[in-house]
Amino acid sequence: MSTAFAIVDPATGEAFTEVGMADRGEVDAAVRRAARAQEGWAALAPADRARLLRRFAAAVDAAGEELAALEVRNSGHPIDSARWEAGHVRDVLEYYSGSPERLIGQQIPVAGGIDVTFHEPLGVVGVIVPWNFPMTIAAWGFAPALAAGNAVVLKPAEWTPLTALRLAELALEAGLPDGLLQVVPGRGDEAGEALVRHPDVAKVVFTGSTRTGSRVMALAAEQVKPVTLELGGKSANLVFADADLDAAAAAAPGAVFDNAGQDCCARSRILVERSVLDAFLERLEPAVAAWRVGDPRETGVQMGPLVSAEHRERVAGFLDGSTPVAFRGQAPTGPGFWFAPAVLLPDRADDRILTDEVFGPVVAVQAFDGEAEGVRLANATAYGLSGSIWTRDLGRGLRVSRAVRAGALSVNSNSSVRFTAPFGGMKRSGIGRELGPDAPLAFTDTKNVFYATGDPAA
Ligand code: NAD
């Protein structure tokens, strides 16, 4: 039986609706429906699956404003970002609508016959997503999974189920078969675990904390079930003395305070070559002061509130007086889960601000001496998701980008995600890759078939 969960507007702190949390029985029913829908979906001609995915993309496009407004209310994302996110879901669907007709196998030269590989769909895929980017991360899972011929049961995070629920309705309106894409809001330890443990769920794509990801992987291992894990980060923004300091400092707030720092790719450690540390901080301070935090409904606002009171409490715990604060930005006061961006200057190498993921608008600045130490500090973390390298030296850009152990790096830019390129983490930031041209293959099993032609040599 569903229990009701209050959904809160982070900008006001007020509950504005309720959503039923699915229990184990409801997850089981959803997986059974999905398994039935998947059979028909996989039997459709590839061109028909492609056409339906394009229609789904068109439905998302038409509902872009509605989805964006819903994300602003449910997650506190600024309206400009939420519009971009809705457009991103459409683009990801359009991109993978090209895949059903391009899941091309191989024909391998062998004696005595013909050897062919097929990319068979897995069946029902479970997608579990966090609250920080509810619709984009959902689409990274469901779009390539559907394109490869699977059904999807998606569990959104407790706090932010609304856009995922609307996307499932849009899929139906676009003509996707009933049951093919279902959203089951629910608690992680109940609905989430039920999905991972379900014997008819063939694969789990999990995005969330490293701790929960490790639990999901252990549960999946009991059934030898494949997982893709997109987990936490503590990414470095390396600024070398030869960099364009104006550009690096102007871009640094966006690299860590975007989405209020609730971003797995947040460059939450800025490592600056010591000879330019003061010059960099002089430029960073006005950039942080100018970072616009405010009502997420207003165009031009760069950062809204944190997602919940509970999360704000956790983020605030990093400003307990034990780490020197260089300066802070502005934030509204009053109702809502506001938090002014903060720049910290840790003076101890073992300060937890250098190792723990904050997932809020707090950045640590640390000095380094020379390229080798810069790389060493960048890698001094259990995580390996993203990062940036600012330098005018092309050779250094190449050397350092190869030496930093992270899955999604950028040089003279802080961009992490382009849906046309693979995305994912090294070390404890995850296993597997999402997005890019190969993503649908992660939702297939390669089947090899040898067809004998009667050659006696075989
Ligand atoms: P979380 O791990 O608490 O929850 C993520 C999802 O897992 C939620 O839907 C939750 O309900 C569910 N869940 C919780 N316990 C579960 C269990 N035992 N079994 C199955 N599912 C369970 O993470 P969060 O706080 O929602 O999100 C923040 C984290 O996500 C951060 O660590 C962040 O870095 C990470 N993240 C990673 C990426 C990436 O692509 N690498 C992207 C976004 C967020």
Side-chain angles (χ1 to χ4, degrees):
M1 266 278 293
S2 293
T3 49
F5 190 88
I7 304 298
V8 174
D9 181 339
T12 63
E14 281 167 19
F16 63 95
T17 188
E18 284 185 344
V19 167
M21 298 278 106
D23 62 16
R24 282 168 203 279
E26 285 162 302
V27 171
D28 179 55
V31 173
R32 284 166 195 272
R33 267 201 309 279
R36 284 195 295 277
Q38 192 268 334
E39 284 176 17
W41 178 243
L44 279 183
D48 291 334
R49 274 189 271 136
R51 189 172 302 110
L52 285 166
L53 288 173
R54 281 197 292 273
R55 282 194 197 143
F56 186 10
V60 171
D61 187 50
E65 269 307 302
E66 180 199 347
L67 286 164
L70 211 50
E71 204 65 276
V72 171
R73 188 124 200 240
N74 193 173
S75 308
H77 291 194
I79 182 66
D80 298 339
S81 310
R83 284 186 177 127
W84 181 89
E85 288 158 28
H88 181 85
V89 174
R90 171 205 57 217
D91 294 346
V92 168
L93 276 165
E94 271 175 6
Y95 181 66
Y96 289 113
S97 71
S99 300
E101 294 166 289
R102 292 174 178 79
L103 277 172
I104 296 164
Q106 291 177 309
Q107 185 266 306
I108 295 164
V110 289
I114 293 174
D115 195 288
V116 179
T117 64
F118 299 93
H119 298 300
E120 304 286 12
L122 300 173
V124 179
V125 172
V127 177
I128 300 177
V129 298
W131 47 260
N132 63 325
F133 285 109
M135 58 177 153
T136 53
I137 293 175
W140 298 358
F142 69 64
L146 294 174
N150 302 281
V152 171
V153 177
L154 168 74
K155 197 205 82 62
E158 290 85 329
W159 292 332
T160 58
L162 298 188
T163 45
L165 285 165
R166 184 66 188 122
L167 284 171
E169 289 172 3
L170 291 169
L172 264 186
E173 287 168 25
L176 266 72
D178 193 15
L180 190 71
L181 171 60
Q182 296 172 72
V183 173
V184 286
R187 287 169 46 125
D189 56 4
E190 182 162 15
E193 289 211 3
L195 196 55
V196 178
R197 287 178 189 272
H198 202 293
D200 295 336
V201 170
K203 170 166 186 167
V204 174
V205 178
F206 171 86
T207 305
S209 62
T210 296
R211 195 187 142 136
T212 312
S214 148
R215 165 104 185 126
V216 165
M217 191 173 179
L219 289 175
E222 289 172 13
Q223 295 169 22
V224 199
K225 188 176 287 191
V227 289
T228 294
L229 302 176
E230 298 286 3
L231 310 176
K234 190 74 200 175
S235 298
N237 185 353
L238 273 160
V239 181
F240 285 93
D242 65 26
D244 178 342
L245 280 192
D246 291 330
V256 58
F257 302 149
D258 189 48
N259 203 28
Q262 304 165 132
D263 183 341
C264 53
C265 292
R267 275 73 166 163
S268 56
R269 294 181 297 146
I270 307 181
L271 309 180
V272 187
E273 198 157 7
R274 197 177 303 277
S275 59
V276 294
L277 178 64
D278 291 343
F280 179 81
L281 287 171
E282 273 165 28
R283 289 162 173 77
L284 182 63
E285 187 164 5
V288 171
W291 185 250
R292 237 184 112 193
V293 184
D295 184 344
R297 289 156 191 81
E298 270 179 38
T299 320
V301 163
Q302 292 167 297
M303 182 178 128
L306 292 175
V307 72
S308 70
E310 186 186 324
H311 186 57
R312 181 172 63 176
E313 210 41 47
R314 214 182 70 77
V315 171
F318 283 87
L319 276 88
D320 60 0
S322 63
T323 312
V325 178
F327 41 84
R328 295 194 69 174
Q330 305 292 317
T333 50
F337 312 128
W338 304 102
F339 195 88
V343 178
L344 308 190
L345 285 173
D347 47 17
R348 296 186 339 263
D350 65 348
D351 191 317
R352 73 182 178 119
I353 197 66
L354 295 171
T355 52
D356 295 8
E357 184 179 44
V358 180
F359 225 54
V362 182
V363 68
V365 179
Q366 205 182 1
F368 67 88
D369 295 295
E371 190 176 307
E373 195 191 15
V375 170
R376 186 180 63 73
L377 290 180
N379 285 335
T381 165
Y383 297 111
L385 187 54
S386 73
S388 306
I389 297 136
W390 292 81
T391 176
R392 285 194 175 99
D393 180 336
L394 175 62
R396 168 172 283 156
L398 288 166
R399 281 193 304 277
V400 176
S401 62
R402 296 301 303 274
V404 173
R405 296 268 303 144
L409 292 169
S410 45
V411 178
N412 295 325
S413 150
N414 296 314
S415 119
S416 313
V417 173
R418 281 161 304 280
F419 58 83
T420 49
F423 174 77
M426 295 181 180
K427 294 155 56 179
R428 295 204 186 161
S429 287
I431 291 180
R433 294 292 176 267
E434 295 191 286
L435 299 176
D438 298 334
L441 293 179
F443 297 100
T444 64
D445 261 331
T446 300
K447 179 186 285 174
N448 183 69
V449 184
F450 171 70
Y451 297 89
T453 48
D455 180 341

